């Protein structure tokens, strides 16, 4: 994934290139005519391609916004992208109509008296859009400034990604800080005073379980980052889903016994072999089954069905646990999202299990769906492609 500074460097680089191209194109117009054929280009109204030469066509269709002003700040050119980005109304005539309400650090006079080729960058918000703007004076051959060019770029998606990255780092730091604080607290207490054996082992067991939670969090984060960078693509092979489910059930036997759950699995006859990365699918089933075990009161009932529809084999895991409120269902695949943070932590959860499951299934051409009712239970359906489906694709 690109780092924020790399993205910004790319945007800046791209903008400078656009700015230079535009200035060259503008130079051609402005030096010859000083003004554009206003009637056609301004506001892009009624523009017919026949009237436009190649340069006009570039201005009209480029995704970056371009606005040119004369020395008095009157609009001499504006392309449709700029009109859309800046919500330009037909009655807008000059620089202040467009930029005045944004309270920028820049005004027409400042730009005009800037050094040749000096650019000024501003970032602002227009309703729900984030826009990066480059302002540059335009000079004629005799070095007289004849106008100002503005190149606009819609950076809403970059800003959103950057915010997501910041949020993710804040979440990771918070998730790691909680167990570290607890480990340090108990360790310091043990070092400061003499405690009886029983208290000592109580404190040590908290330290051990918090350390395990940190280790799980780091493993989960590594899985996510491996998926994100997609460095290792899925190692697909054919295998039996029923057998995999049995293996997962055996792996979780201790947790199942601890909570005294009854787990029943049913495999429909004739389920074809699936074609996917076996380790990935095992991880998905373990995550989902662990959730059913965790979020179901002691003595619960968990049923697992393995079957086949069209070209997908499926695993359905039902539990009669606490359930998930409908309003939360759309968010549970988000990283670190938990319905009840305290309960999830208490159970050793990281809030990453379902997002990992979804990522892994995406990577293998499968999918996951969850239905749930509070107080009644949860049903998770995992679909895994078979070789037949792979061949059709
Ligand atoms: P966690 O590590 O917290 O279990 P997950 O990503 O696996 O994280 O799950 C996200 C949240 O979805 C959980 O915190 C829990 O609130 C809810 N959840 C997941 N599975 C179940 C289930 N079977 N029953 C009830 N709630 C569940």
């Amino acid at each position: 994934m690109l780092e924020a500074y790399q993205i910004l460097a790319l945007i800046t680089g791209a903008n400078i290139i656009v700015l230079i191209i535009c200035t060259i194109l503008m130079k051609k117009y402005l030096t010859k005519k000083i003004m554009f054929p206003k009637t056609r280009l301004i506001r892009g109204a009624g523009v017919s391609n026949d009237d436009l030469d190649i340069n006009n066509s570039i201005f009209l269709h480029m995704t970056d916004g371009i606005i040119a002003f004369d020395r008095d700040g009157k609009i001499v050119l504006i392309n449709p992208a700029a009109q859309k980005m800046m919500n330009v109304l037909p009655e807008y005539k000059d620089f202040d109509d467009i930029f005045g309400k944004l309270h920028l650090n820049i005004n027409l006079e400042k730009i005009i008296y800037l050094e040749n080729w000096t650019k000024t960058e501003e970032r602002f918000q227009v309703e729900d859009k984030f826009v990066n703007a480059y302002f540059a004076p335009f000079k004629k051959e005799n070095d007289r400034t004849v106008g100002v060019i503005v190149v606009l770029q819609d950076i809403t998606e970059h800003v959103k990604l950057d915010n997501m990255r910041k949020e993710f780092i804040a979440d990771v730091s918070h998730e790691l800080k909680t167990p570290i604080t607890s480990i340090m607290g108990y360790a310091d207490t043990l070092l400061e005073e003499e405690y009886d054996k029983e208290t000592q082992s109580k404190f040590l067991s908290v330290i051990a379980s918090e350390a395990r939670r940190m280790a799980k969090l780091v493993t989960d984060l590594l899985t996510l980052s491996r998926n994100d960078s997609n460095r290792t693509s899925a190692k697909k092979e054919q295998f039996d889903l029923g057998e995999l489910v049995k293996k997962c059930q055996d792996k979780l036997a201790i947790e199942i016994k601890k909570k005294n759950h009854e787990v029943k699995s049913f495999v429909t006859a004739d389920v074809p072999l699936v074609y996917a990365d076996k380790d990935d699918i095992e991880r998905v089933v373990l995550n989902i089954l662990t959730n059913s075990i965790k979020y179901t009161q002691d003595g619960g009932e968990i049923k697992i069905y393995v079957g086949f529809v069209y070209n997908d084999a499926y695993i359905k895991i039902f539990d009669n646990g606490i359930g998930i409120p409908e309003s939360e269902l759309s968010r549970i695949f988000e990283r670190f999202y938990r319905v009840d943070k305290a309960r999830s932590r208490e159970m050793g959860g990281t809030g990453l299990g379902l997002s990992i499951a979804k990522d892994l299934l995406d990577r293998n051409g499968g999918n996951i769906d969850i239905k749930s009712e509070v107080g009644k239970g949860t049903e998770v359906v995992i679909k895994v492609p078979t070789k037949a489906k792979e061949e059709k694709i």
Side-chain angles (χ1 to χ4, degrees):
M1 216 169 80
L2 285 175
E3 295 292 329
Y5 72 87
Q6 288 172 312
I7 296 173
L8 283 176
L10 280 175
I11 299 173
T12 313
N15 267 318
I16 291 170
I17 293 167
V18 170
L19 198 62
I20 292 169
I21 294 172
C22 291
T23 313
I24 293 166
L25 294 174
M26 293 280 296
K27 192 167 177 152
K28 214 177 126 200
Y29 276 114
L30 289 175
T31 48
K32 278 189 193 150
K33 306 177 185 167
I34 302 294
M35 289 290 154
F36 284 85
K38 270 190 185 178
T39 47
R40 297 289 174 185
L41 271 171
I42 287 181
R43 320 205 188 294
V47 179
S48 110
N49 276 340
D50 295 339
D51 298 48
L52 299 166
D53 65 13
I54 182 97
N55 294 342
N56 291 352
S57 187
I58 293 171
F59 281 125
L60 282 175
H61 300 295
M62 64 197 299
T63 47
D64 284 343
I66 307 285
I67 314 176
F69 300 95
D70 66 12
R71 277 183 73 90
D72 302 324
K74 292 270 170 296
I75 304 168
V76 289
L77 172 137
I78 182 162
N79 72 346
Q83 293 171 24
K84 202 166 152 231
M85 246 180 263
M86 301 302 299
N87 298 340
V88 174
L89 299 173
E91 60 268 27
Y92 285 9
K93 298 272 179 291
D94 59 26
F95 190 92
D96 282 341
D97 289 340
I98 298 178
F99 295 107
K101 54 186 178 288
L102 296 169
H103 308 293
L104 304 178
N105 274 328
I106 197 114
N107 56 41
L108 201 73
E109 289 71 33
K110 263 198 200 170
I111 307 162
I112 287 177
Y113 295 108
L114 284 175
E115 279 300 294
N116 198 11
W117 291 109
T118 303
K119 61 157 185 60
T120 303
E121 187 182 348
E122 286 274 337
R123 182 174 289 197
F124 46 82
Q125 217 175 327
V126 183
E127 289 175 8
D128 54 350
K129 284 168 288 190
F130 288 89
V131 178
N132 218 39
Y134 286 83
F135 298 84
F138 177 77
K139 304 202 177 202
K140 260 180 84 173
E141 277 124 14
N142 61 8
D143 224 25
R144 202 172 74 88
T145 301
V146 288
V148 166
I149 303 168
V150 187
V151 177
L152 303 156
Q153 198 165 45
D154 187 336
I155 52 160
T156 312
E157 277 311 304
H158 299 294
V159 172
K160 269 193 201 155
L161 276 175
D162 201 34
N163 287 344
M164 270 168 69
R165 191 186 55 84
K166 283 183 192 149
E167 250 170 56
F168 183 69
I169 291 173
D171 283 340
V172 171
S173 319
H174 179 77
E175 293 298 328
L176 284 171
K177 196 166 176 253
T178 319
I180 288 174
T181 312
S182 160
I183 289 171
M184 284 184 342
Y186 280 101
D188 286 344
T189 317
L190 278 174
L191 286 172
E192 273 160 19
E193 267 181 65
E194 283 286 316
Y195 287 96
D196 58 71
K197 250 271 94 14
E198 200 187 329
T199 316
Q200 276 183 20
S201 72
K202 216 165 91 191
F203 286 4
L204 282 171
S205 77
V206 177
I207 291 175
S209 96
E210 291 295 281
R212 261 195 297 276
R213 196 148 73 82
M214 273 173 65
K216 182 167 187 318
L217 184 64
V218 173
T219 313
D220 283 357
L221 287 169
L222 285 173
T223 309
L224 282 173
S225 104
R226 188 194 61 170
N227 292 347
D228 281 350
S229 58
N230 216 3
R231 253 176 273 145
T232 44
S233 55
K235 295 188 296 306
K236 293 191 182 180
E237 59 181 303
Q238 281 192 294
F239 61 91
D240 185 294
L241 212 50
E243 273 171 28
L244 184 90
V245 166
K246 182 85 197 53
K247 186 176 161 198
C248 294
Q249 212 177 314
D250 291 344
K251 278 197 173 179
L252 295 172
I254 295 172
E255 282 83 353
I256 294 170
K257 192 153 184 277
K258 250 193 221 159
K259 291 204 69 174
N260 213 6
H261 290 321
E262 188 183 2
V263 181
K264 290 184 194 154
S265 52
F266 309 88
V267 182
T268 321
D270 297 335
V271 178
L273 297 180
V274 291
Y275 186 66
D277 186 317
K278 201 171 170 184
D279 291 342
D280 284 357
I281 306 303
E282 179 178 327
R283 182 75 195 268
V284 172
V285 177
L286 284 173
N287 283 4
I288 305 304
L289 203 50
T290 308
N291 280 350
S292 288
I293 298 167
K294 279 194 303 194
Y295 301 111
T296 300
Q297 308 82 340
D298 285 14
E301 198 174 63
I302 298 168
K303 287 186 198 143
I304 310 170
Y305 295 87
V306 180
F308 179 62
V309 271
Y310 303 113
N311 290 312
D312 288 321
Y314 66 79
I315 308 172
K316 284 188 187 172
I317 301 180
F318 290 88
D319 65 55
N320 62 347
I322 60 171
I324 304 165
E326 203 180 334
S327 56
E328 314 271 335
L329 274 177
S330 60
R331 300 202 57 191
I332 52 173
F333 291 104
E334 287 174 23
R335 293 175 181 186
F336 294 113
Y337 193 81
R338 290 117 145 194
V339 177
D340 180 341
K341 269 200 185 272
R343 190 199 289 258
S344 158
R345 273 213 197 97
E346 209 178 285
M347 313 262 183
T350 60
L352 294 173
L354 287 178
S355 61
I356 289 178
K358 191 173 180 308
D359 278 5
L360 292 176
L361 285 166
D362 281 351
R363 205 161 93 98
N364 282 280
N367 62 54
I368 181 166
D369 217 359
I370 298 196
K371 278 194 215 137
S372 191
E373 207 174 316
V374 174
K376 289 223 162 136
T378 303
E379 173 191 343
V380 183
V381 183
I382 301 159
K383 284 195 188 140
V384 187
T386 57
K387 188 83 178 168
K389 181 169 181 182
E390 182 81 11
E391 274 158 10
K392 275 188 190 162
I393 296 168

